[in-house]
Amino acid sequence: MASLLVTGGAGFIGANFVGHWLSTHPDDRVTVLDLLTYAGNRANLDHLAAELVVGDIRDERLVTELLQTRAIDTIVHFAAESHVDRSILGPDAFIETNVLGTHALLKAARQHWVDGGRPHRFHHVSTDEVYGTLSPTDPAFREDTPYAPNSPYSASKAASDHLVRAYHHTYGLQTTTSNCSNNYGPYQFPEKLIPLFLLNTLAGRPLPIYGDGQQVRDWLHVEDHCHGIAAVLERGRIGEVYNIGGGAEMANLAVIDTLCAEVDRLFAAEPALKERFPDAPAAKGLPSASLKSFVTDRPGHDRRYAIDCEKAMRELDYRPRHSFESGLAATIRWYLDHESWWRGGQDGSYRAFMQANYRDRQPVA
C-alpha cells in the first residue's frame, strides 16, 4: 500500500488524478495539500476518500510534517499557478509558487527521503509550454527539445523542471517529470478556453478570440493525462522525462467552432436547455458562433504546440483513449449536468471572476 501526497489536488487536474488513482488503487492513502486559491475547490474532493490539508507548498515545515506523520512515499506535484494571462499581469505569484514552492518540496523530500534512506518517488507535473513555440512545419516537441519558454508562466515551470532534474542528479532524489499538452475536461476552472467559451455561450456573452484564432494546441482530455501520469509512476524510469499528449492538434478557432456546433446540436435535441439558458443564442434559434469576437492578441502568444509522446507510448504503453470530439462532447455534458458547481459551488469564485472580467462588458480571455 502506497501513501501519496498530491499537491494542488483540489484543482482541476489534481482532483481528477486523485479520483483516477483511488479508483485503481483503492487501498492506497492519498493526502492532498492545497492552498485553495481561486482555482482550488474542496468540493472537487467531496466524493473521494482523500484527506485534504489546506496549506502552502512553500511551507517546508508543514511538508516535512506531512511526509513524517502520513508516511508519505510518493509526491505527485501538481500545485502551480498556470494561466498565461495572469502571469503576464502578475508574474511574482508564478515565481513564488512554481519556483520557490517546488524548491521547498524538493528540500523537504531530500531531507526526509534521501537523508533518511527511505524508498520514494517525486513526480513533477509540467507543461509543453516550456519548449517554446513551433512553426507549422516544425516537428513536435520531444523530451530532448531545448527549452525556450516565452511567458512568465512557462519560464517559471521551466525553472521548476530544472530544479527537479538537479535534485535527482545532485542528491539522488528519485524523480520523474511529465510534460503535458493542453488539458480539458471536468472540474476545469472557467478561465481556460473550453469552459470559459462554453459558459459564455450559455450566457450569451462574447467569445473573445485572440488574434486570428489560428494558434495551434494539442488537446488532451484530463482522464488521458491522469492515465499517463499513473503509467509514469508505475513503469517510468527514475530520472526520466515523459511527454504526454492527446494526439489532437487543432487551431483555437476550430476548437471554438466545434464547441459552438455541439452546443447548437444539444439545444436542438433538448428543448429544456432553452429554458435553463434563455440568453444563449441557441435558445433563440441563432448559431452560437454568432458570439465570436476577434480581439487583440496577447503579448508573446506562442503560435503552435505539439507533443510527440512516442517515448511514453513505447516505454509505458500509453495511448490517449479519448478523441477530441468525444472528449469535448463529454466535457460539455459534464458542465451542463453540474451547473451548481460552476455557478457558485467554488465559494463564488466563478461569479467573482465573471463580474471582474465583464464589468464593462469587454471580452477578455
Side-chain angles (χ1 to χ4, degrees):
M1 182 178 75
S3 182
L4 280 68
L5 177 65
V6 180
T7 71
F12 162 47
I13 306 175
N16 275 282
F17 173 79
V18 171
H20 174 86
W21 189 265
L22 287 174
S23 71
T24 55
H25 302 78
D27 295 329
D28 285 359
R29 178 177 184 174
V30 175
T31 303
V32 169
L33 176 60
D34 199 298
L35 192 55
L36 296 182
T37 57
Y38 74 95
N41 183 0
R42 65 174 69 243
N44 294 351
L45 301 169
D46 281 350
H47 61 297
L48 301 173
E51 177 191 9
L52 172 62
V53 176
V54 179
D56 195 324
I57 59 171
R58 294 173 298 173
D59 187 343
E60 191 177 340
R61 179 178 297 180
L62 172 60
V63 174
T64 299
E65 177 187 340
L66 293 175
L67 293 176
Q68 294 172 343
T69 60
R70 273 67 169 181
I72 301 295
D73 53 40
T74 304
I75 291 176
V76 188
H77 177 33
F78 292 95
E81 295 285 347
S82 65
H83 196 247
V84 175
D85 287 7
R86 289 179 182 269
S87 80
I88 294 171
L89 295 173
D92 288 5
F94 289 73
I95 304 303
E96 288 286 337
T97 299
N98 300 354
V99 182
L100 299 183
T102 299
H103 192 218
L105 288 172
L106 290 166
K107 287 191 291 181
R110 175 199 170 195
Q111 181 182 39
H112 182 69
W113 284 338
V114 178
D115 295 350
R118 297 177 175 88
H120 63 274
R121 173 73 72 85
F122 187 110
H123 182 72
H124 176 58
V125 180
S126 191
T127 171
D128 58 1
E129 297 191 39
V130 299
Y131 298 121
T133 188
L134 296 169
S135 76
T137 58
D138 284 336
F141 298 133
R142 293 163 42 96
E143 289 81 0
D144 57 2
T145 299
Y147 276 30
N150 291 319
S151 71
Y153 161 61
S154 57
S156 68
K157 289 299 290 184
S160 67
D161 293 5
H162 291 321
L163 283 170
V164 172
R165 174 184 170 86
Y167 265 70
H168 169 66
H169 284 277
T170 301
Y171 303 116
L173 192 68
Q174 304 292 283
T175 67
T176 45
T177 295
S178 56
N179 294 77
C180 70
S181 54
N182 276 40
N183 279 224
Y184 68 99
Y187 299 107
Q188 188 170 30
F189 187 75
E191 66 181 355
K192 300 297 178 75
L193 189 149
I194 286 177
L196 175 63
F197 277 42
L198 171 60
L199 301 188
N200 283 6
T201 299
L202 297 178
R205 294 189 175 98
L207 304 181
I209 302 167
Y210 275 141
D212 61 5
Q214 294 304 315
Q215 302 86 2
V216 173
R217 302 293 183 261
D218 174 21
W219 292 91
L220 172 66
H221 192 280
V222 67
E223 290 180 1
D224 286 328
H225 188 193
C226 294
H227 167 65
I229 293 171
V232 175
L233 288 171
E234 293 164 348
R235 299 184 292 280
R237 290 184 287 130
I238 299 300
E240 291 294 313
V241 176
Y242 295 92
N243 284 349
I244 301 174
E249 270 194 74
M250 294 181 68
N252 286 346
L253 190 57
V255 171
I256 295 161
D257 285 339
T258 304
L259 184 153
C260 288
E262 178 64 11
V263 170
D264 292 348
R265 186 191 71 80
L266 288 171
F267 270 72
E270 303 176 27
L273 291 175
K274 298 177 181 179
E275 298 181 9
R276 288 175 58 193
F277 305 105
D279 294 325
K284 307 168 187 177
L286 300 173
S288 297
S290 63
L291 295 172
K292 291 192 298 185
S293 172
F294 290 88
V295 299
T296 303
D297 209 351
R298 74 178 174 213
H301 201 171
D302 289 339
R303 192 63 172 174
R304 173 177 170 244
Y305 303 144
I307 281 281
D308 179 346
C309 56
E310 190 275 334
K311 179 179 177 180
M313 296 171 70
R314 182 182 69 252
E315 294 190 13
L316 310 177
D317 195 28
Y318 166 76
R319 301 288 188 284
R321 302 173 181 179
H322 293 266
S323 69
F324 180 75
E325 291 74 19
S326 66
L328 180 64
T331 298
I332 292 173
R333 172 52 61 188
W334 187 89
Y335 280 90
L336 291 174
D337 292 344
H338 294 81
E339 186 177 351
S340 61
W341 180 88
W342 52 264
R343 281 206 184 275
Q346 302 193 121
D347 301 322
S349 296
Y350 170 69
R351 185 180 296 109
F353 171 77
M354 297 307 294
Q355 288 174 347
N357 285 332
Y358 286 94
R359 186 182 302 111
D360 302 314
R361 300 295 296 173
Q362 296 298 312
V364 294

